[in-house]
Amino acid sequence: MNSRWLQRFSALFISSTITMLGSGLSAQGQIPNPGKISTTAADLVPQPTEPASETSAEVAQVNVDPGRPTRGGSSYIGVAGNIGLGGDSALSEGGFMVISKIGLTRTLSVRPSVAIEDDPVILLPLTYDFNFRTADAFEDTFALAPYVGAGVAIETSDDADVGFLLSGGVDVPLSTNLTATAGVNAAFLDETDVGLMIGVGYNFTGL
């Protein structure tokens, strides 16, 4: 009797063990949950992503659009008076100037101008345009946009000379069509020629 129960218990134990082992092997053979962390070498190596490369390309790209407005206002062409503050060229003498601002990017512009006298001086500064600021004059508030830059000055006399140029000033929008401007130009030619320019320009967009 005891031998018969022992045989039945042994058979039941063996059958249960085989069933448990079979279910364990089946679970190991299943594909892991996609949400689990992968430990394969390919998945552990960082891979570049397309959005990151596209963002880098956009940051590196600079759009140059001659004649566009800058954050300091519209591009313009106009006339000005020049007051000489020292030196020995048309820039250092009182006279007439043709001035301009040509926006290149949101912050940069080129401002070609000519001081017209017996021997005209051509000024070619590249300037950095600042944001508009507010100022008070006689209890009236108005906007102005400072700029600073550097470039070259070309003296067109018989003994023509080319020198380094420093330029700085402010633009003041008067209306949608007009911009007032004032600035100081210092050209390092045979001597240091300095002129104060005050003028007005007609606004335009694009070239």
Side-chain angles (χ1 to χ4, degrees):
M1 188 70 170
N2 291 337
S3 177
R4 185 178 300 172
W5 279 104
L6 182 60
Q7 290 176 358
R8 290 181 179 178
F9 179 78
S10 299
L12 180 62
F13 177 76
I14 292 172
S15 176
S16 300
T17 302
I18 292 173
T19 302
M20 291 174 63
L21 289 174
S23 62
L25 291 174
S26 176
Q28 290 181 2
Q30 293 177 354
I31 298 174
N33 190 331
K36 293 184 179 180
I37 299 174
S38 173
T39 58
T40 62
D43 292 336
L44 293 176
V45 176
Q47 300 294 328
T49 60
E50 287 298 324
S53 61
E54 292 177 1
T55 302
S56 300
E58 291 178 359
V59 171
Q61 183 178 5
V62 177
N63 292 324
V64 177
D65 184 14
R68 58 159 290 169
T70 70
R71 62 183 180 179
S74 300
S75 297
Y76 57 76
I77 183 169
V79 294
N82 180 65
I83 302 173
L85 301 178
D88 188 26
S89 72
L91 185 62
S92 63
E93 300 174 4
F96 171 74
M97 293 186 71
V98 176
I99 60 173
S100 67
K101 169 193 172 183
I102 302 173
L104 300 178
T105 69
R106 183 172 177 271
T107 57
L108 296 177
S109 61
V110 61
R111 297 171 183 261
S113 60
V114 181
I116 300 175
E117 273 294 324
D118 293 337
D119 297 316
V121 174
I122 302 171
L123 308 177
L124 298 171
L126 177 68
T127 62
Y128 180 85
D129 299 347
F130 294 91
N131 288 320
F132 279 107
R133 315 284 176 86
T134 57
D136 295 325
F138 306 106
E139 299 182 356
D140 289 332
T141 301
F142 61 96
L144 55 85
Y147 66 86
V148 295
V152 295
I154 305 171
E155 186 180 15
T156 60
S157 60
D158 293 336
D159 54 344
D161 192 13
V162 178
F164 181 66
L165 171 69
L166 291 177
S167 183
V170 293
D171 290 333
V172 181
L174 301 178
S175 68
T176 56
N177 294 324
L178 298 175
T179 298
T181 185
V184 175
N185 296 293
F188 299 90
L189 300 166
D190 290 335
E191 299 182 21
T192 300
D193 299 289
V194 182
L196 171 64
M197 174 273 297
I198 301 174
V200 63
Y202 182 79
N203 301 339
F204 66 87
T205 301
L207 289 179

